Amino acid sequence: MANQKPEPSIKEMRRHFPAGYSKEIKKFVKERALVHSRYIWILDRADRQKGWCSYCRRYVIIKDGIKHNEEIQCPHCGTEVKVKHEWRGHSDLVDRSYFHYYEKSKLDPKIVVCRGIYVRNNFASQDIKSVKTEYETHTFYVLEMGGPKMFTDYYHVWYNCPLQSLKKSVFPRFINYAGLKNMNFEESYESLEEAVKGTAFQYSQWKDYMQNFAFRSDNLIRYLAFYAKYPSVEYIMKLGLGRFIATKLNGDPMAGALYYRGNTPQKVLRMALSKADIADLKAAAPKMKEQELLLWQMMKKEKRNTRLGEVCLDNFCSDHIYEIYDLYKIIHSIEKIKRYFKKQTVFSKFYEKDEPNWAGGSYKVGHFLRDWIDYLNACKKLEFDMKDRSVLFPKDLKRAHDNAIEQVKIRANERLDKKIRARAKKLDNFNFRYGDLVAAPAASSGELIAERCTIALVCIQNGMQQVVPILFLLGKLRL
């Protein structure tokens, strides 16, 4: 594109971020990120009542008889701490944390920036009283409406060199980088609340998302980046459909019920909405499946005033919405699906027996719907007329289902037989006879299956002592 702006360099994007670490960041680290790194160190084995608090950095007097790793309150600062006997060793004691801290951009106050900061207290290689918190910014996020960016820029100790990388997507590095797994992770919600003031992100509904829908705490940065790319997230959240966004951000498959590039609720939901429809949607949203929304969209295309209650009002639809959705794409009528079900339960003994399934639905309904879908899919493969009522609604579904599935198998075998016959001509030179043993390529798929069964039976009966026609098998494998 001639008018497309060039991608900014990492050097240019670094200008959005402040230098160093503010008092607010250091306070957050002390009070939240490294809250698990608070100790009273007993330094003298002969005097176990005198200790040094790593939080308030003072000598304190504690009760006698406090055990190693016992949790108490510091007599001076009152914080919860863990008692450590220094002489027991601390060669592997390194407390780590990784957190996201949000600020306004230095270049543009309407842009929110975020730093992924790694901190640690290393008690393993230093004198206890000289330990200071180490800071290192690993990840940078520029959350600009329309084009969120993420890059890494830090010094890698293992490789002994600086590492810079502009990422193609925005994600929480905490869960993608092996070196940062299984450590304490925090989001600074207080800093985000301040950073979004006066920006488009104050309408992003991030609090509602994190409180009610997010699968994990580190999903916030994904959500903010998704909102920066698709502002329609605001409409979706206000309609109560935050679970759909959470499912998408979690990487689970979605059926495409929402159009995220839409700029009105009607365009986002791909259908016209009345005030009554919006009220219905908000009421049903907490338990709504995406297939119910898709089904409602299809029904509204045919009948504009279709209410949501017609889709998920009864258990027949709501308990089997995935099957109903697949059938509706072919039958185009919920009532016809219900009527045909009632006829088949009377006509066929196969669908008479019923019992609740694990989800509280009906096994009978589930069996019927899945058989019908299988049958219709088989009819498509057999190139039947899918507008013919006798094809769509066979008198005996169970019998029609079994016949159609068998015809599909036969047709598939016919295609295979053609390939086998064509291949067999090229393998004639491998024909071999010695006594009762014959080696020859299979002439059909039926012979192929029968020979395999015979060989398996012979091997079992004779304890693998009889020689099997390997040449015959090799010939089949090459087909």
Side-chain angles (χ1 to χ4, degrees):
M1 296 288 184
N3 297 328
Q4 190 173 3
K5 292 182 179 180
E7 286 286 340
S9 66
I10 290 178
K11 185 177 180 180
E12 290 173 325
M13 287 192 288
R14 282 296 295 260
R15 295 169 59 201
H16 285 280
F17 296 85
Y21 304 98
S22 65
K23 291 180 181 179
E24 291 77 16
I25 290 178
K26 291 179 179 179
K27 183 180 178 181
F28 177 81
V29 171
K30 192 173 183 180
E31 301 299 331
R32 286 268 301 279
L34 288 176
V35 70
H36 59 292
S37 185
R38 299 176 179 179
Y39 307 99
I40 286 182
W41 290 93
I42 308 300
L43 304 175
D44 188 350
R45 195 166 190 169
D47 185 3
R48 301 195 181 192
Q49 286 187 268
K50 184 179 180 181
W52 187 81
C53 178
S54 66
Y55 180 73
C56 62
R57 305 187 77 82
R58 288 175 178 268
Y59 283 102
V60 294
I61 303 299
I62 62 174
K63 294 179 180 179
D64 191 22
I66 301 295
K67 296 180 180 179
H68 180 64
N69 284 336
E70 187 174 338
E71 294 184 359
I72 64 169
Q73 280 191 335
C74 173
H76 180 265
C77 61
T79 190
E80 292 287 331
V81 296
K82 186 177 285 188
V83 173
K84 290 283 188 181
H85 294 165
E86 199 272 340
W87 60 87
R88 293 183 185 272
H90 45 86
S91 60
D92 59 348
L93 183 58
V94 182
D95 294 323
R96 301 177 176 88
S97 188
Y98 182 77
F99 63 94
H100 288 154
Y101 197 87
Y102 301 86
E103 296 156 299
K104 288 184 181 294
S105 164
K106 287 175 62 181
L107 300 180
D108 186 346
K110 293 184 179 180
I111 296 176
V112 175
V113 296
C114 171
R115 284 185 280 177
I117 303 173
Y118 169 71
V119 291
R120 71 172 186 169
N121 285 338
N122 186 1
F123 296 99
S125 59
Q126 300 180 46
D127 176 67
I128 295 302
K129 292 189 288 183
S130 65
V131 171
K132 292 183 180 180
T133 302
E134 301 169 25
Y135 291 78
E136 187 175 30
T137 302
H138 278 221
T139 318
F140 299 81
Y141 303 92
V142 179
L143 301 173
E144 182 178 6
M145 294 303 293
K149 299 286 190 299
M150 169 188 174
F151 67 94
T152 57
D153 185 5
Y154 65 99
Y155 192 86
H156 202 292
V157 178
W158 291 351
Y159 299 142
N160 194 28
C161 66
L163 288 183
Q164 292 184 335
S165 175
L166 179 61
K167 305 300 180 182
K168 293 182 179 179
S169 60
V170 176
F171 56 87
R173 190 164 175 269
F174 172 68
I175 61 169
N176 288 78
Y177 178 53
L180 298 179
K181 287 181 181 178
N182 303 320
M183 75 168 70
N184 184 49
F185 173 74
E186 294 287 342
E187 287 277 10
S188 177
Y189 299 122
E190 298 82 6
S191 69
L192 178 58
E193 197 162 5
E194 284 296 315
V196 300
K197 289 179 179 178
T199 73
F201 289 93
Q202 65 184 333
Y203 308 110
S204 65
Q205 311 293 315
W206 64 269
K207 285 185 181 179
D208 183 22
Y209 176 78
M210 293 305 294
Q211 289 172 3
N212 300 311
F213 302 107
F215 289 121
R216 22 184 326 144
S217 61
D218 51 20
N219 257 357
L220 178 56
I221 196 70
R222 288 188 194 272
Y223 177 80
L224 294 172
F226 194 68
Y227 174 78
K229 193 174 181 181
Y230 304 112
S232 63
V233 165
E234 179 187 352
Y235 306 134
I236 298 169
M237 290 297 298
K238 287 181 177 178
L239 289 170
L241 299 173
R243 191 164 53 84
F244 287 21
I245 297 174
T247 301
K248 182 174 182 63
L249 295 183
N250 199 49
D252 296 331
M254 301 287 285
L258 302 176
Y259 178 60
Y260 295 102
R261 296 185 186 276
N263 55 10
T264 65
Q266 287 78 8
K267 289 182 179 179
V268 171
L269 291 168
R270 303 177 188 270
M271 58 182 171
L273 292 171
S274 65
K275 290 183 178 179
D277 288 334
I278 292 174
D280 290 347
L281 187 58
K282 287 182 177 180
K287 295 182 179 179
M288 193 175 196
K289 301 181 183 76
E290 194 177 20
Q291 276 67 20
E292 285 176 310
L293 182 55
L294 286 164
L295 187 58
W296 190 26
Q297 290 168 347
M298 288 192 296
M299 293 173 71
K300 264 186 152 318
K301 285 181 181 178
E302 297 180 1
K303 188 179 178 184
R304 194 178 180 84
N305 61 348
T306 302
R307 296 288 295 273
L308 181 58
E310 297 177 45
V311 180
C312 52
L313 184 62
D314 55 41
N315 291 337
F316 184 88
C317 289
S318 61
D319 289 344
H320 307 279
I321 190 63
Y322 300 102
E323 292 88 351
I324 293 291
Y325 171 66
D326 288 338
L327 279 171
Y328 188 85
K329 289 186 288 187
I330 303 172
I331 305 300
H332 305 294
S333 170
I334 295 292
E335 288 306 314
K336 288 181 180 180
I337 293 172
K338 287 182 179 180
R339 285 201 301 268
Y340 185 60
F341 168 72
K342 290 178 181 178
K343 287 181 181 179
Q344 287 300 304
T345 53
V346 173
F347 180 81
S348 175
K349 292 182 178 180
F350 183 79
Y351 300 114
E352 282 182 352
K353 187 179 178 182
D354 193 19
E355 56 186 24
N357 63 16
W358 63 272
S362 167
Y363 268 124
K364 176 171 69 174
V365 177
H367 281 159
F368 164 78
L369 295 175
R370 284 189 290 274
D371 281 357
W372 197 5
I373 293 168
D374 287 347
Y375 161 74
L376 292 174
N377 288 336
C379 290
K380 286 182 181 179
K381 292 179 181 177
L382 296 169
E383 300 177 355
F384 289 174
D385 182 2
M386 299 307 292
K387 294 182 180 180
D388 188 337
R389 184 176 176 80
S390 64
V391 172
L392 297 176
F393 305 97
K395 185 176 181 180
D396 185 342
L397 176 61
K398 182 68 175 69
R399 184 176 179 181
H401 167 272
D402 294 346
N403 288 339
I405 297 299
E406 187 63 29
Q407 287 185 57
V408 170
K409 290 180 181 178
I410 291 171
R411 183 167 292 190
N413 288 343
E414 288 175 355
R415 295 194 188 100
L416 182 60
D417 286 344
K418 288 182 181 179
K419 294 181 179 180
I420 289 174
R421 286 194 293 270
R423 181 64 173 161
K425 294 178 180 178
K426 299 179 180 180
L427 297 174
D428 282 343
N429 293 335
F430 292 96
N431 288 348
F432 174 77
R433 179 184 292 275
Y434 180 79
D436 294 333
L437 296 177
V438 176
S444 67
S445 58
E447 185 178 322
L448 190 68
I449 295 168
E451 185 67 17
R452 280 178 179 168
C453 294
T454 303
I455 291 170
L457 182 62
V458 169
C459 291
I460 292 169
Q461 291 177 342
N462 296 333
M464 292 298 292
Q465 292 178 3
Q466 181 167 334
V467 177
V468 297
I470 299 298
L471 183 60
F472 180 81
L473 292 176
L474 287 175
K476 288 184 290 184
L477 290 174
R478 291 191 182 110
L479 294 175

